[in-house]
Amino acid sequence: MAENQQLFVRGGSKQGVKHIRLNLNNQDAYAFQSFTIPAYAKSYYVGLVSDGCSGQPAFSHSEVGAHLMTLYAYRRIQELICAGVPVEQIPTVLYPSITEFILDIMTKVMPPNIVWKYPVKVEDRENWSGQSRF
């Protein structure tokens, strides 16, 4: 972008009708930020969307994970650019990084030896481990 050009970005997320009816949070997240790397004399504009999944609405809180993913991805994008990874290769490098981040959080929050069952019977999930539920 030329120095005299301006970039206008808008974002939003709409809570689904079912979520409103069940009084559930919107499960999605987005982030857009820009940053400059003085050593490269370049500015970068990043837009990210994370689509949470409701799973079992009474027990799911995937909006937390969706927001963590956008922030973590934004951080990693900056690190990757500073490490010299070409912009067009960032999605390929970012995917396993995010997967590792999710697995790390899961292991820290819900280690495999912890029992965390649903408080009520949830069809097809009676034998899930605490990590699977997480």
Side-chain angles (χ1 to χ4, degrees), residues 16-104:
V17 173
K18 184 177 178 182
H19 284 205
I20 293 170
R21 188 171 43 83
L22 296 172
N23 196 29
L24 300 171
N25 290 339
N26 185 342
Q27 305 285 311
D28 306 326
Y30 66 91
F32 44 86
Q33 293 283 321
S34 63
F35 60 92
T36 301
I37 300 176
Y40 296 172
K42 281 185 156 184
S43 293
Y44 296 86
Y45 301 88
V46 178
L48 299 159
V49 175
S50 184
D51 184 10
C53 65
S54 297
Q56 285 294 319
F59 305 107
S60 180
H61 302 284
S62 68
E63 71 274 10
V64 175
H67 285 278
L68 286 172
M69 291 303 99
T70 57
L71 294 174
Y72 180 76
Y74 178 67
R75 170 204 144 181
R76 288 295 295 143
I77 289 167
Q78 284 187 46
E79 291 172 342
L80 293 167
I81 289 171
C82 289
V85 175
V87 172
E88 61 275 1
Q89 291 180 11
I90 286 179
T92 304
V93 177
L94 189 60
Y95 180 79
S97 179
I98 287 177
T99 303
E100 188 64 32
F101 176 68
I102 293 169
L103 291 171
D104 184 46

Side-chain angles (χ1 to χ4, degrees), residues 2 7 12 14 17 38 70 74 105 113:
L7 178 67
K14 185 172 181 342
V17 173
T70 57
Y74 178 67
I105 289 174
N113 61 328

